[in-house]
Every structure is written in C-alpha cells, then in structure tokens.
Amino acid sequence: MSSLLRLATAGSVDDGKSTLVGRLLYDTKSVLADQLDAVTRASVDRGASTPDLSLLVDGLRSEREQGITIDVAYRYFATPKRSFVLADTPGHVQYTRNTVTGASTAQLGVLLVDARNGVIEQTRRHAAVLALLGVPRLVLAVNKIDLVDYDEGTFEVIAKEFTDHATALGYGVGDVLSVPVSALHGDNVATRSDNTPWYTGPTLLAHLEEVPVAPDPHDEPFRLPVQYVIRPRTEQFPDYRGYAGQISSGTVRPGDEVVVLPNGQRTTVTSVDTADGSLEQAGSGASVTLVLADDVDIARGDLIAAAASAPDVTDEFTAALCWLASKPLKPGARVLVKHGTKTVQGMVTELSARFDEQNLSVEDGPETLALNDIGRVELRTAEPLPVDDYGHAHRNGAFLVIDPSSGDTLAAGLVGAPLSALGVG
C-alpha cells in the first residue's frame, strides 16, 4: 500500500465540503492549537456555540465573508497508516476551472452532496471532469445525513443514482463508494456512527487509509521538459553544459539512453545533478540538471525523454478540452498552446463533439464550446510538439490553451481519447 494518497474534494455550494475537510483535519489532529483558538474566536463572533470547522479551510477573507470556497487550497494531514495531500476545490460552477486544476493530480476524488438535495447538476459535472482527468476512484459523501433523520432509504436512493452515473462514465462498481456522513457532528467521518446502524461500510477516513492507489508518475515513461540550459563558463566549470528542468514523469539514472525532441537526437545521460550534488537516480517531481554524453543542440522548450518509449512528435492531434472561458470557442480560433515549457501558436481546426455531462450524450459537430463545456477538438500547431496520449503519461499529455491577445487561460486540454467509451476525447 502506498504511504501517500493524493485526493481532491468537490461538491456544490453549501454541501458542507469545507466543514468536511475541516473535520478531517480536526479528527486527525492536524490542526495547531493557535489555529483552533482563532477559529473558535471567529465562531463565537458569529454567534456559534461550537467551533465552525469550515473556517480551518476557507482561509481567504472573501471566502469567509461569502461562506464559499473560491480557490484551490492544498491541505496536508496524516494518520499512522498513510499521509494525504488534499486539494480542496471550489463548488461554485463559476470556478469549475479551479476544480480541473485541483483534480489534475488526484488519485481519488471525494464528491459531496447534501442528503436533502441528492445528486444535482454540479455533482454530475464534477464526476465528468474527474472521469475526463482519469481520476481512478470516487467516493460520494452523502453529507448532512442528520438533517434527513439518518434515513437509510434516502441514502440508498442517492447512492444508487450516483453509482449508475459513475459507471456510465466508465468507472467500475468497485471503484465507487458512497458513505453517509454528517461533517458537522462527525458521523462516519473518522469514527463509525451509532446513528447509522444500517450502514456496514467503512468510515470515510478508514476508506482513505486503505484504498489502493493508482500507479505513481514514477512508473510512467521518463520525461523532462527543459527549462534552462546551464553553462557557467567559469574557471571551475569551463566546459559544463547541463539541461535543467523538473521531471514530469518516470525516473532517470546515469547511463540511461534518452532522445531529445523534437529534433530526435539520441544520447546518454552521464550525470544527474542537483544543487546538493549528483544523484544515482531521480524521479517524477524532482528538479534536476542532466549532463549528456554528446554535444546536442538543446534549448528551453525541448523535451528529453526515454529513448525506448519516446512520445510522438506531431503538429496535428485530437484532444479533449474543458473550456474555461466565458467567450465561446469556435472552429478556426487562433490560440496559443502551452505544452510543458514550450508555447506555440495553434489553431482549433475542428470541433468534433460536445459531451453533455448531465444526460451522458454526445452532440457531433457543435458550433461552439461554451463555458465549462467538455468537447473533442482537432488542433494544429505552428511547430511540432512531443505529446503523449494523456492515458499513457498524464503530464506530457496535458496542455493549456491560451488567448494570444490577453494571455488568459482558455482551456485545459488532454491529448488523445479520455471518455472514449462515450465518444468524447
């Protein structure tokens, strides 16, 4: 079992997500005494008799004033069994783009619903986004179960509706768990509740501690987008030439054969350097400088990849887009495509399909993609890019679409065919 689980939370406004995250932090004793004191004082000022645990999470003043989560916040907590990195994402439809950001590296998604309202439009949208991003496991936390008198029938109806929706998105039944919880009172969050004797599954925290996780990015093919070429030209290092960047996936060791893309030249790694000295091996997420055996023409924006499993280099590819801008996307739109450390001009040559995440249907050849739409497009770039299928190497299969005039991010893109079972991707 992995010692680390990356998870993302999502839910509609007022479903109690911030309270649930605060409860997890509180029950795992991941809150400092001064933090709890500050929350207690703030709660008393608002007329509450007990600490409002949501204030442990909604750190921005605007979030506290409005009572909603706006930005993605990363929380860290641990139990004796496992450590956790939790991306707390916004619930409001306006901030779906931030949900995409927070869920992009998650190994499990926790979706909240209000037991009084059940599965709603935003629940289905979030499930579709998590499926598109390849998040392999889902938990549905049916919150505020106390407000429906801990009714088993209400829970069962909601759980079945969500499981049916998730399996239609491609999840296996064993990849989806529903848990009745009350974040406010702590029912089935970290401790089993006497109020739900009919529920025989694990508590939310017990499931998070035991659930198998997806393969780590270390297990994917080696990829390093070059950020900077280091040539000190000093008396101590007159001939040193290194290629610095953060490893996006895989591992690298001295002696490994690599290929530089897009030019296709092959060479061998002679040294993996860091500010603290050379390493025998470095993996995904590490910032390193590679020294190569041959004098290869490499610049920022190039990709150093494992020679045995190199990505395709192409200037035309199919991708799934989650459109994040208020201005609709139309065929023929000229954009910038940011892939790794390289940004090139591009054009959306075709809108092939739009996915209706509410009805799980596909519209072929839509005229536009609107805010929060998920669709399949054809892209052409001014320069060839070394791209992976997103399902093969997540980070090297992901890119951003940028407005060339304003610099605003327009869409998150995934190369290849996620959601292909539904005809989208």
Side-chain angles (χ1 to χ4, degrees):
M1 182 181 71
S2 172
S3 60
L4 175 66
L5 175 68
R6 297 180 180 88
L7 65 151
T9 57
S12 188
V13 175
D14 295 331
D15 280 351
K17 182 168 54 62
S18 293
T19 302
L20 179 67
V21 176
R23 170 66 63 181
L24 280 171
L25 296 175
Y26 179 78
D27 286 351
T28 56
K29 297 179 174 57
S30 302
V31 183
L32 298 175
D34 58 343
Q35 288 179 298
L36 188 58
D37 288 343
V39 165
T40 301
R41 289 194 300 272
S43 302
V44 170
D45 291 343
R46 301 169 97 180
S49 58
T50 58
D52 181 353
L53 297 179
S54 70
L55 297 181
L56 291 170
V57 178
D58 288 337
L60 298 176
R61 170 174 282 185
S62 55
E63 292 179 324
R64 293 190 180 188
E65 290 175 350
Q66 297 179 57
I68 64 172
T69 302
I70 294 174
D71 203 357
V72 180
Y74 291 90
R75 312 293 171 183
Y76 306 88
F77 63 101
T79 69
K81 293 185 177 182
R82 179 173 270 173
S83 298
F84 304 89
V85 179
L86 185 151
D88 182 30
T89 70
H92 198 285
V93 65
Q94 179 181 350
Y95 303 111
T96 298
R97 71 195 72 184
N98 294 357
T99 303
V100 173
T101 301
S104 61
T105 58
Q107 298 161 308
L108 178 144
V110 179
L111 286 171
L112 263 76
V113 296
D114 187 322
R116 297 169 297 178
N117 302 326
V119 175
I120 61 173
E121 178 180 329
Q122 188 70 335
T123 313
R124 290 186 285 269
R125 177 176 292 114
H126 282 149
V129 168
L130 294 174
L132 179 72
L133 292 170
V135 178
R137 296 180 185 271
L138 298 180
V139 175
L140 181 71
V142 183
N143 194 26
K144 305 185 182 181
I145 196 71
D146 54 307
L147 299 183
V148 295
D149 297 323
Y150 299 96
D151 181 61
E152 179 182 8
T154 300
F155 170 76
E156 293 293 343
V157 168
I158 295 171
K160 183 179 186 307
E161 180 181 355
F162 180 78
T163 300
D164 289 347
H165 185 78
T167 53
L169 286 168
Y171 286 99
V173 173
D175 297 328
V176 182
L177 174 72
S178 297
V179 185
V181 303
S182 170
L184 182 63
H185 301 295
D187 295 279
N188 295 324
V189 178
T191 56
R192 183 171 296 281
S193 173
D194 294 335
N195 295 313
T196 56
W198 42 265
Y199 175 68
T200 58
T203 65
L204 175 60
L205 184 59
H207 181 65
L208 297 181
E209 288 180 324
E210 299 293 342
V211 65
V213 299
D216 192 272
H218 284 62
D219 300 325
E220 296 178 354
F222 170 68
R223 307 284 186 261
L224 183 138
V226 176
Q227 295 179 344
Y228 191 69
V229 178
I230 297 178
R231 296 198 65 191
R233 293 176 177 171
T234 62
E235 187 174 324
Q236 184 178 3
F237 300 103
D239 301 316
Y240 185 94
R241 185 196 295 262
Y243 307 98
Q246 184 181 63
I247 300 173
S248 61
S249 64
T251 57
V252 65
R253 306 168 185 82
D256 285 354
E257 186 181 11
V258 294
V259 59
V260 179
L261 300 172
N263 65 31
Q265 289 182 272
R266 293 186 173 226
T267 184
T268 303
V269 176
T270 60
S271 179
V272 181
D273 296 344
T274 71
D276 298 319
S278 298
L279 302 177
E280 294 184 2
Q281 174 179 305
S284 174
S287 295
V288 299
T289 299
L290 299 187
V291 179
L292 305 178
D294 301 294
D295 187 7
V296 182
D297 182 17
I298 301 177
R300 174 182 169 84
D302 289 343
L303 182 77
I304 302 176
S309 55
D312 292 331
V313 178
T314 179
D315 59 3
E316 293 188 44
F317 53 90
T318 300
L321 290 188
C322 183
W323 192 250
L324 307 174
S326 55
K327 181 181 178 181
L329 172 66
K330 297 180 180 179
R334 294 185 178 276
V335 297
L336 296 178
V337 175
K338 186 180 189 307
H339 175 259
T341 54
K342 191 165 190 172
T343 302
V344 300
Q345 294 180 341
M347 176 187 290
V348 178
T349 57
E350 181 183 349
L351 302 186
S352 306
R354 187 185 71 83
F355 173 54
D356 184 340
E357 77 280 352
Q358 302 301 314
N359 300 312
L360 298 180
S361 61
V362 174
E363 174 192 353
D364 291 326
E367 293 184 1
T368 63
L369 290 184
L371 176 66
N372 294 326
D373 276 351
I374 296 171
R376 184 178 67 234
V377 305
E378 302 295 328
L379 272 165
R380 182 188 304 142
T381 54
E383 301 175 40
L385 296 174
V387 297
D388 281 287
D389 186 289
Y390 180 77
H392 181 59
H394 274 23
R395 292 189 180 179
N396 200 54
F399 62 93
L400 294 177
V401 178
I402 298 171
D403 187 325
S405 58
S406 67
D408 293 339
T409 299
L410 301 176
L414 311 176
V415 178
L419 288 183
S420 57
L422 296 167
V424 175

